[in-house]
Amino acid sequence: MTDMYKQVAQTENWRLDLLPLVATDTSDTVLGGAVSIDDEGGIALHTGAMYGPVDAAFEVLGSVPDGPAQEWEDVVELSVRAAEAAPLILIGIFSDGGEADEPGTDADMLESGRDYRVRIHVRGRDKSGSDELIEPDGTPNDHVLVQVWPSEPNKPTVTRMSSAKAGEDERNSETFSGSGYVTLGMGDPDREDLIAQNLRDAGE
């Protein structure tokens, strides 16, 4: 379990949901201005562009990796549990299964109910305007690396927070409290059904 696989995800409302992971510690609403955690442990990555493509890569590892490379501007770690037996995937909060750029058949499956540690790396958000629309087939400014390995639960940590966007989101963390999406006026009553459908699609 060391192969990297990639996905081009389409961000919506400056957010991408990270599936099938659920945070085991929900005491922190925003981590390093890069990740939001809702009341039920749902994990959302913050993006620089409001809408558009995000270049994402994933690694499912057998043990803790080396420290993050210098190219990554914002890096956070948190303990999670796999809600389903499915590969890692990022989706826009209103995407349906047909719109998501699904991971390939070589993507590693997580073990349902198992505890993991996830390290989320982000760079390029400052190159996107806060309300910028990038065409779906355009060149991504936002880049993400998600690394996951088996681990006992531990406290979240912020390893690096150097982008202007991270500082802005950290200062405005109350905007992302609770579900976050409702606070922004973008609440979706069918979000749980959407997440379940995307997990099924990703596992096919």
Side-chain angles (χ1 to χ4, degrees), residues 29-37 43-46 76 78 120 122 125:
T29 303
V30 177
L31 294 174
V35 173
S36 290
I37 301 172
I43 302 167
L45 276 64
H46 299 199
V76 301
L78 62 151
I120 298 169
V122 184
R125 289 190 294 165

Side-chain angles (χ1 to χ4, degrees), residues 15 25-38 42-46 76-78 125 156-158 161 165-180:
R15 300 289 177 275
D25 184 341
T26 60
S27 58
D28 291 313
T29 303
V30 177
L31 294 174
V35 173
S36 290
I37 301 172
D38 68 24
I43 302 167
L45 276 64
H46 299 199
V76 301
E77 279 190 25
L78 62 151
R125 289 190 294 165
T157 60
V158 177
M161 192 177 77
K165 176 64 173 171
E168 177 185 344
D169 284 6
E170 184 78 6
R171 287 190 298 274
N172 296 309
S173 60
E174 69 279 359
T175 304
F176 314 112
S177 62
S179 67

Side-chain angles (χ1 to χ4, degrees), residues 84-96:
E84 299 282 346
L88 291 164
I89 187 173
L90 287 166
I91 64 165
I93 61 174
F94 298 135
S95 297
D96 62 32

Side-chain angles (χ1 to χ4, degrees), residues 61 63-69 77 119 121 147:
L61 306 166
S63 60
V64 58
D66 293 336
E77 279 190 25
R119 182 183 294 165
H121 312 64
Q147 295 176 314

Side-chain angles (χ1 to χ4, degrees), residues 103-125:
T105 56
D106 59 341
D108 289 314
M109 301 282 284
L110 300 183
E111 183 179 334
S112 179
R114 188 170 189 179
D115 289 327
Y116 292 91
R117 188 75 171 174
V118 60
R119 182 183 294 165
I120 298 169
H121 312 64
V122 184
R123 63 180 170 87
R125 289 190 294 165

Side-chain angles (χ1 to χ4, degrees), residues 2 18 25 72 114 130 135 141 180 184 194:
T2 58
L18 178 59
D25 184 341
W72 298 105
R114 188 170 189 179
S130 62
E135 292 299 325
N141 289 326
L184 290 168
L194 168 64

